[in-house]
Amino acid sequence: MQRIQVIDSHTGGEPTRIIIAGGPDLGDGPLQDRRRIFAERFDDIRRAVVDEPRGSDVLIGGLLCKPVDNRCSAGVIFFDTAGFLGMCGHGTMGFVATLQHLGHIELGPHTIETPVGPVEIELAENNHVTIQNVASYRTHANVQIDVPNYGLVIGDIAWGGNWFFLVKNSSEELSSDNTDHLLRVTKQIRAALKQQGVRGPNQEEIDHIELYGPAMDSANQSKNFVLCPGGEYDRSPCGTGTSAKLACLAADGILGAGEVWRQESIIGSVFECSYQQTGDEKIVPTIRGQAYVCGESNLILDPHDPFCMGIQI
Ligand code: PYC
């Protein structure tokens, strides 16, 4: 009987489950290689940890790794019910809260290793975590997509650690009692992008769809709804999605370097953000949110259990 020790947290309502012991042995190569080995040889462990009955589509998982670069406090590989992620903003905040809970780190600045590069973070009082995300950029503006049974959708394609299509002309009501409809619409948009061959510059799938509109609270600039690869929506404002959004705001000259943008999620949680310009038309986003540890447990993998490695439909 295998036991996997995990710590659960949430960041603005979005859950993260970090494997801290009993996970797969991926060797000690670069995190990109370890992510590939995880996907090729231990995908059943990913499913056992985040799929039902132990998890659900809303859950993001992470594996605590020994970093290659000894300047980093820890390394992490993120995954969800659909596969592996490049980066995860809310997940990094949850990971940092987990490291603090374990006594691995104290308040102050730290570097976290991820498969898409090192991420600088700052852990502060009251569960506040600030992350300096990977360089983010927009690759295409005003892409027109004909979505069957819905209509013409116009949006931007941007990278914020994952690939996003940010819909510009949405008139959908972004409210928490409209999420079933918003999920249907964003899944239709994602399917149309795939069907029409709209991809990232290296043929990457655009697997996150972001709608945005006016904020509920006048202290915030915008509210969003983000469809994640697993088929659920992000309860937090989505760190990588907000980074992609900042890249678009910067490219359109709407938000200047150093100016504050408060991004509200569909459930009202907030990330406070800004960016610095790099020389090459990319930006480096800074995102601040709050993450709380909310559970510690051992997952039990009983080989006699017919759904031991998750329900697959
Ligand atoms: O916060 O970057 C994020 C994220 C990605 C998927 C779910 N949350």
Side-chain angles (χ1 to χ4, degrees), residues 257-290:
E259 284 175 9
V260 172
W261 182 268
R262 288 174 55 90
Q263 182 68 53
E264 192 175 280
S265 77
I266 190 75
I267 66 159
S269 51
V270 176
F271 284 168
E272 191 172 290
C273 325
S274 63
Y275 73 85
Q276 293 304 317
Q277 193 84 50
T278 63
D280 53 3
E281 301 196 349
K282 294 182 181 172
I283 61 153
V284 177
T286 299
I287 317 262
R288 183 170 183 263
Q290 277 174 299

mmCIF file of all heavy atoms in Angstrom, residues 257-290:
data_model
loop_
_atom_site.group_PDB
_atom_site.id
_atom_site.type_symbol
_atom_site.label_atom_id
_atom_site.label_comp_id
_atom_site.label_asym_id
_atom_site.label_seq_id
_atom_site.Cartn_x
_atom_site.Cartn_y
_atom_site.Cartn_z
ATOM 1 N N ALA A 257 4.578 50.859 -16.806
ATOM 2 C CA ALA A 257 5.454 50.098 -15.895
ATOM 3 C C ALA A 257 5.354 50.690 -14.490
ATOM 4 O O ALA A 257 5.375 51.918 -14.326
ATOM 5 C CB ALA A 257 6.882 50.156 -16.408
ATOM 6 N N GLY A 258 5.206 49.820 -13.493
ATOM 7 C CA GLY A 258 5.157 50.266 -12.097
ATOM 8 C C GLY A 258 3.769 50.664 -11.625
ATOM 9 O O GLY A 258 3.548 50.797 -10.419
ATOM 10 N N GLU A 259 2.825 50.857 -12.533
ATOM 11 C CA GLU A 259 1.460 51.208 -12.105
ATOM 12 C C GLU A 259 0.752 49.972 -11.562
ATOM 13 O O GLU A 259 0.974 48.861 -12.049
ATOM 14 C CB GLU A 259 0.647 51.780 -13.275
ATOM 15 C CG GLU A 259 1.023 53.199 -13.601
ATOM 16 C CD GLU A 259 0.312 53.733 -14.852
ATOM 17 O OE1 GLU A 259 -0.602 53.060 -15.386
ATOM 18 O OE2 GLU A 259 0.710 54.819 -15.279
ATOM 19 N N VAL A 260 -0.132 50.210 -10.586
ATOM 20 C CA VAL A 260 -0.785 49.063 -9.918
ATOM 21 C C VAL A 260 -2.079 48.681 -10.638
ATOM 22 O O VAL A 260 -2.858 49.541 -11.040
ATOM 23 C CB VAL A 260 -1.075 49.399 -8.441
ATOM 24 C CG1 VAL A 260 -1.932 48.308 -7.786
ATOM 25 C CG2 VAL A 260 0.235 49.553 -7.678
ATOM 26 N N TRP A 261 -2.273 47.378 -10.809
ATOM 27 C CA TRP A 261 -3.497 46.822 -11.387
ATOM 28 C C TRP A 261 -4.038 45.813 -10.387
ATOM 29 O O TRP A 261 -3.341 44.884 -9.990
ATOM 30 C CB TRP A 261 -3.167 46.127 -12.718
ATOM 31 C CG TRP A 261 -4.347 45.554 -13.437
ATOM 32 C CD1 TRP A 261 -4.832 44.277 -13.326
ATOM 33 C CD2 TRP A 261 -5.173 46.227 -14.394
ATOM 34 N NE1 TRP A 261 -5.911 44.125 -14.159
ATOM 35 C CE2 TRP A 261 -6.150 45.299 -14.832
ATOM 36 C CE3 TRP A 261 -5.187 47.516 -14.927
ATOM 37 C CZ2 TRP A 261 -7.124 45.621 -15.771
ATOM 38 C CZ3 TRP A 261 -6.156 47.831 -15.860
ATOM 39 C CH2 TRP A 261 -7.100 46.907 -16.276
ATOM 40 N N ARG A 262 -5.276 46.022 -9.947
ATOM 41 C CA ARG A 262 -5.887 45.071 -8.999
ATOM 42 C C ARG A 262 -6.889 44.214 -9.756
ATOM 43 O O ARG A 262 -7.909 44.707 -10.228
ATOM 44 C CB ARG A 262 -6.548 45.827 -7.848
ATOM 45 C CG ARG A 262 -5.508 46.441 -6.884
ATOM 46 C CD ARG A 262 -6.172 47.316 -5.838
ATOM 47 N NE ARG A 262 -7.207 46.588 -5.118
ATOM 48 C CZ ARG A 262 -7.012 45.879 -4.011
ATOM 49 N NH1 ARG A 262 -5.804 45.799 -3.484
ATOM 50 N NH2 ARG A 262 -8.013 45.255 -3.427
ATOM 51 N N GLN A 263 -6.539 42.941 -9.878
ATOM 52 C CA GLN A 263 -7.363 42.009 -10.664
ATOM 53 C C GLN A 263 -8.246 41.189 -9.726
ATOM 54 O O GLN A 263 -7.745 40.522 -8.826
ATOM 55 C CB GLN A 263 -6.448 41.090 -11.484
ATOM 56 C CG GLN A 263 -7.176 40.123 -12.378
ATOM 57 C CD GLN A 263 -7.901 40.827 -13.530
ATOM 58 O OE1 GLN A 263 -7.293 41.602 -14.264
ATOM 59 N NE2 GLN A 263 -9.193 40.576 -13.670
ATOM 60 N N GLU A 264 -9.543 41.279 -9.984
ATOM 61 C CA GLU A 264 -10.523 40.569 -9.148
ATOM 62 C C GLU A 264 -10.899 39.253 -9.831
ATOM 63 O O GLU A 264 -11.016 39.207 -11.055
ATOM 64 C CB GLU A 264 -11.757 41.473 -9.070
ATOM 65 C CG GLU A 264 -12.798 41.143 -8.080
ATOM 66 C CD GLU A 264 -13.864 42.262 -8.103
ATOM 67 O OE1 GLU A 264 -13.651 43.330 -7.498
ATOM 68 O OE2 GLU A 264 -14.890 42.063 -8.767
ATOM 69 N N SER A 265 -11.114 38.209 -9.036
ATOM 70 C CA SER A 265 -11.541 36.928 -9.625
ATOM 71 C C SER A 265 -13.064 36.863 -9.651
ATOM 72 O O SER A 265 -13.747 37.726 -9.093
ATOM 73 C CB SER A 265 -11.017 35.764 -8.788
ATOM 74 O OG SER A 265 -11.793 35.612 -7.609
ATOM 75 N N ILE A 266 -13.575 35.802 -10.242
ATOM 76 C CA ILE A 266 -15.026 35.600 -10.342
ATOM 77 C C ILE A 266 -15.666 35.462 -8.951
ATOM 78 O O ILE A 266 -16.843 35.762 -8.785
ATOM 79 C CB ILE A 266 -15.328 34.370 -11.255
ATOM 80 C CG1 ILE A 266 -16.809 34.253 -11.595
ATOM 81 C CG2 ILE A 266 -14.775 33.096 -10.668
ATOM 82 C CD1 ILE A 266 -17.299 35.223 -12.609
ATOM 83 N N ILE A 267 -14.884 35.037 -7.929
ATOM 84 C CA ILE A 267 -15.466 34.939 -6.579
ATOM 85 C C ILE A 267 -15.083 36.141 -5.709
ATOM 86 O O ILE A 267 -15.370 36.164 -4.520
ATOM 87 C CB ILE A 267 -15.074 33.623 -5.866
ATOM 88 C CG1 ILE A 267 -13.563 33.561 -5.573
ATOM 89 C CG2 ILE A 267 -15.530 32.394 -6.641
ATOM 90 C CD1 ILE A 267 -13.210 32.574 -4.466
ATOM 91 N N GLY A 268 -14.400 37.138 -6.293
ATOM 92 C CA GLY A 268 -14.097 38.367 -5.552
ATOM 93 C C GLY A 268 -12.739 38.410 -4.880
ATOM 94 O O GLY A 268 -12.413 39.399 -4.227
ATOM 95 N N SER A 269 -11.913 37.345 -5.016
ATOM 96 C CA SER A 269 -10.560 37.434 -4.443
ATOM 97 C C SER A 269 -9.698 38.293 -5.375
ATOM 98 O O SER A 269 -10.022 38.449 -6.558
ATOM 99 C CB SER A 269 -9.959 36.049 -4.227
ATOM 100 O OG SER A 269 -10.041 35.238 -5.377
ATOM 101 N N VAL A 270 -8.615 38.849 -4.839
ATOM 102 C CA VAL A 270 -7.875 39.883 -5.584
ATOM 103 C C VAL A 270 -6.377 39.598 -5.611
ATOM 104 O O VAL A 270 -5.804 39.169 -4.613
ATOM 105 C CB VAL A 270 -8.121 41.278 -4.926
ATOM 106 C CG1 VAL A 270 -7.304 42.361 -5.613
ATOM 107 C CG2 VAL A 270 -9.601 41.636 -4.954
ATOM 108 N N PHE A 271 -5.758 39.816 -6.771
ATOM 109 C CA PHE A 271 -4.297 39.876 -6.881
ATOM 110 C C PHE A 271 -3.923 41.320 -7.203
ATOM 111 O O PHE A 271 -4.542 41.934 -8.091
ATOM 112 C CB PHE A 271 -3.776 38.983 -8.021
ATOM 113 C CG PHE A 271 -3.769 37.497 -7.729
ATOM 114 C CD1 PHE A 271 -3.565 36.593 -8.765
ATOM 115 C CD2 PHE A 271 -3.949 37.002 -6.444
ATOM 116 C CE1 PHE A 271 -3.557 35.218 -8.519
ATOM 117 C CE2 PHE A 271 -3.943 35.630 -6.187
ATOM 118 C CZ PHE A 271 -3.749 34.739 -7.230
ATOM 119 N N GLU A 272 -2.915 41.824 -6.492
ATOM 120 C CA GLU A 272 -2.434 43.181 -6.783
ATOM 121 C C GLU A 272 -1.165 43.056 -7.620
ATOM 122 O O GLU A 272 -0.250 42.323 -7.242
ATOM 123 C CB GLU A 272 -2.140 43.903 -5.467
ATOM 124 C CG GLU A 272 -1.901 45.370 -5.676
ATOM 125 C CD GLU A 272 -1.811 46.101 -4.351
ATOM 126 O OE1 GLU A 272 -2.831 46.231 -3.655
ATOM 127 O OE2 GLU A 272 -0.685 46.524 -4.026
ATOM 128 N N CYS A 273 -1.131 43.723 -8.738
ATOM 129 C CA CYS A 273 -0.073 43.455 -9.728
ATOM 130 C C CYS A 273 0.543 44.733 -10.291
ATOM 131 O O CYS A 273 -0.076 45.807 -10.260
ATOM 132 C CB CYS A 273 -0.645 42.713 -10.937
ATOM 133 S SG CYS A 273 -1.942 41.574 -10.547
ATOM 134 N N SER A 274 1.721 44.568 -10.843
ATOM 135 C CA SER A 274 2.359 45.622 -11.628
ATOM 136 C C SER A 274 3.387 44.916 -12.510
ATOM 137 O O SER A 274 3.525 43.694 -12.445
ATOM 138 C CB SER A 274 3.029 46.658 -10.724
ATOM 139 O OG SER A 274 4.046 46.041 -9.982
ATOM 140 N N TYR A 275 4.091 45.681 -13.326
ATOM 141 C CA TYR A 275 5.109 45.032 -14.160
ATOM 142 C C TYR A 275 6.307 45.949 -14.378
ATOM 143 O O TYR A 275 6.204 47.169 -14.205
ATOM 144 C CB TYR A 275 4.506 44.606 -15.517
ATOM 145 C CG TYR A 275 4.233 45.749 -16.478
ATOM 146 C CD1 TYR A 275 5.222 46.258 -17.317
ATOM 147 C CD2 TYR A 275 2.986 46.344 -16.540
ATOM 148 C CE1 TYR A 275 4.973 47.315 -18.181
ATOM 149 C CE2 TYR A 275 2.718 47.385 -17.401
ATOM 150 C CZ TYR A 275 3.718 47.871 -18.219
ATOM 151 O OH TYR A 275 3.479 48.928 -19.063
ATOM 152 N N GLN A 276 7.401 45.350 -14.763
ATOM 153 C CA GLN A 276 8.588 46.081 -15.234
ATOM 154 C C GLN A 276 8.807 45.678 -16.678
ATOM 155 O O GLN A 276 8.614 44.519 -17.034
ATOM 156 C CB GLN A 276 9.834 45.721 -14.413
ATOM 157 C CG GLN A 276 9.787 46.190 -12.969
ATOM 158 C CD GLN A 276 9.553 47.683 -12.842
ATOM 159 O OE1 GLN A 276 10.146 48.477 -13.565
ATOM 160 N NE2 GLN A 276 8.645 48.059 -11.951
ATOM 161 N N GLN A 277 9.209 46.639 -17.492
ATOM 162 C CA GLN A 277 9.441 46.350 -18.913
ATOM 163 C C GLN A 277 10.843 45.757 -19.070
ATOM 164 O O GLN A 277 11.776 46.187 -18.402
ATOM 165 C CB GLN A 277 9.349 47.666 -19.689
ATOM 166 C CG GLN A 277 9.255 47.519 -21.177
ATOM 167 C CD GLN A 277 7.812 47.265 -21.646
ATOM 168 O OE1 GLN A 277 6.912 47.974 -21.266
ATOM 169 N NE2 GLN A 277 7.640 46.244 -22.469
ATOM 170 N N THR A 278 10.980 44.743 -19.941
ATOM 171 C CA THR A 278 12.329 44.294 -20.287
ATOM 172 C C THR A 278 12.632 44.923 -21.653
ATOM 173 O O THR A 278 11.745 45.471 -22.294
ATOM 174 C CB THR A 278 12.426 42.754 -20.376
ATOM 175 O OG1 THR A 278 11.578 42.315 -21.427
ATOM 176 C CG2 THR A 278 12.025 42.078 -19.091
ATOM 177 N N GLY A 279 13.866 44.810 -22.095
ATOM 178 C CA GLY A 279 14.257 45.486 -23.335
ATOM 179 C C GLY A 279 13.598 44.909 -24.583
ATOM 180 O O GLY A 279 13.553 45.555 -25.621
ATOM 181 N N ASP A 280 13.060 43.688 -24.483
ATOM 182 C CA ASP A 280 12.662 42.994 -25.704
ATOM 183 C C ASP A 280 11.148 42.842 -25.861
ATOM 184 O O ASP A 280 10.661 41.801 -26.279
ATOM 185 C CB ASP A 280 13.319 41.615 -25.719
ATOM 186 C CG ASP A 280 13.022 40.857 -24.422
ATOM 187 O OD1 ASP A 280 12.278 41.395 -23.579
ATOM 188 O OD2 ASP A 280 13.519 39.735 -24.259
ATOM 189 N N GLU A 281 10.430 43.871 -25.469
ATOM 190 C CA GLU A 281 8.965 43.890 -25.600
ATOM 191 C C GLU A 281 8.267 42.871 -24.716
ATOM 192 O O GLU A 281 7.118 42.525 -24.947
ATOM 193 C CB GLU A 281 8.530 43.720 -27.060
ATOM 194 C CG GLU A 281 9.091 44.818 -27.926
ATOM 195 C CD GLU A 281 8.393 44.922 -29.263
ATOM 196 O OE1 GLU A 281 7.627 44.021 -29.601
ATOM 197 O OE2 GLU A 281 8.627 45.938 -29.934
ATOM 198 N N LYS A 282 9.011 42.364 -23.726
ATOM 199 C CA LYS A 282 8.373 41.490 -22.754
ATOM 200 C C LYS A 282 8.255 42.270 -21.440
ATOM 201 O O LYS A 282 8.919 43.289 -21.258
ATOM 202 C CB LYS A 282 9.213 40.231 -22.531
ATOM 203 C CG LYS A 282 9.275 39.347 -23.761
ATOM 204 C CD LYS A 282 10.076 38.106 -23.490
ATOM 205 C CE LYS A 282 10.146 37.249 -24.745
ATOM 206 N NZ LYS A 282 11.045 36.132 -24.621
ATOM 207 N N ILE A 283 7.421 41.761 -20.570
ATOM 208 C CA ILE A 283 7.318 42.385 -19.254
ATOM 209 C C ILE A 283 7.613 41.338 -18.179
ATOM 210 O O ILE A 283 7.470 40.139 -18.420
ATOM 211 C CB ILE A 283 5.909 42.973 -19.007
ATOM 212 C CG1 ILE A 283 4.832 41.877 -19.072
ATOM 213 C CG2 ILE A 283 5.603 44.100 -19.991
ATOM 214 C CD1 ILE A 283 3.604 42.188 -18.259
ATOM 215 N N VAL A 284 8.013 41.822 -17.012
ATOM 216 C CA VAL A 284 8.173 40.934 -15.859
ATOM 217 C C VAL A 284 7.097 41.325 -14.845
ATOM 218 O O VAL A 284 7.169 42.399 -14.236
ATOM 219 C CB VAL A 284 9.591 41.053 -15.257
ATOM 220 C CG1 VAL A 284 9.703 40.170 -14.012
ATOM 221 C CG2 VAL A 284 10.632 40.647 -16.280
ATOM 222 N N PRO A 285 6.073 40.487 -14.705
ATOM 223 C CA PRO A 285 4.968 40.833 -13.801
ATOM 224 C C PRO A 285 5.277 40.515 -12.336
ATOM 225 O O PRO A 285 5.961 39.542 -12.041
ATOM 226 C CB PRO A 285 3.812 39.932 -14.271
ATOM 227 C CG PRO A 285 4.284 39.236 -15.495
ATOM 228 C CD PRO A 285 5.775 39.267 -15.469
ATOM 229 N N THR A 286 4.738 41.338 -11.466
ATOM 230 C CA THR A 286 4.788 41.085 -10.023
ATOM 231 C C THR A 286 3.345 40.931 -9.551
ATOM 232 O O THR A 286 2.512 41.792 -9.818
ATOM 233 C CB THR A 286 5.473 42.266 -9.304
ATOM 234 O OG1 THR A 286 6.802 42.368 -9.804
ATOM 235 C CG2 THR A 286 5.531 42.051 -7.807
ATOM 236 N N ILE A 287 3.073 39.821 -8.873
ATOM 237 C CA ILE A 287 1.697 39.503 -8.483
ATOM 238 C C ILE A 287 1.673 39.210 -6.992
ATOM 239 O O ILE A 287 2.472 38.387 -6.512
ATOM 240 C CB ILE A 287 1.184 38.240 -9.218
ATOM 241 C CG1 ILE A 287 1.579 38.249 -10.692
ATOM 242 C CG2 ILE A 287 -0.302 38.001 -8.993
ATOM 243 C CD1 ILE A 287 0.579 38.713 -11.638
ATOM 244 N N ARG A 288 0.744 39.833 -6.271
ATOM 245 C CA ARG A 288 0.679 39.629 -4.820
ATOM 246 C C ARG A 288 -0.705 39.125 -4.419
ATOM 247 O O ARG A 288 -1.719 39.684 -4.836
ATOM 248 C CB ARG A 288 0.954 40.967 -4.137
ATOM 249 C CG ARG A 288 0.988 40.948 -2.632
ATOM 250 C CD ARG A 288 1.516 42.312 -2.187
ATOM 251 N NE ARG A 288 1.673 42.399 -0.763
ATOM 252 C CZ ARG A 288 0.766 42.939 0.038
ATOM 253 N NH1 ARG A 288 -0.360 43.409 -0.462
ATOM 254 N NH2 ARG A 288 0.994 43.023 1.337
ATOM 255 N N GLY A 289 -0.716 38.022 -3.664
ATOM 256 C CA GLY A 289 -1.982 37.480 -3.180
ATOM 257 C C GLY A 289 -1.785 36.867 -1.805
ATOM 258 O O GLY A 289 -0.718 37.011 -1.186
ATOM 259 N N GLN A 290 -2.806 36.162 -1.320
ATOM 260 C CA GLN A 290 -2.725 35.528 -0.003
ATOM 261 C C GLN A 290 -3.032 34.045 -0.124
ATOM 262 O O GLN A 290 -3.995 33.677 -0.803
ATOM 263 C CB GLN A 290 -3.748 36.139 0.962
ATOM 264 C CG GLN A 290 -3.261 37.416 1.619
ATOM 265 C CD GLN A 290 -4.367 38.044 2.444
ATOM 266 O OE1 GLN A 290 -5.406 38.402 1.915
ATOM 267 N NE2 GLN A 290 -4.130 38.182 3.736
#
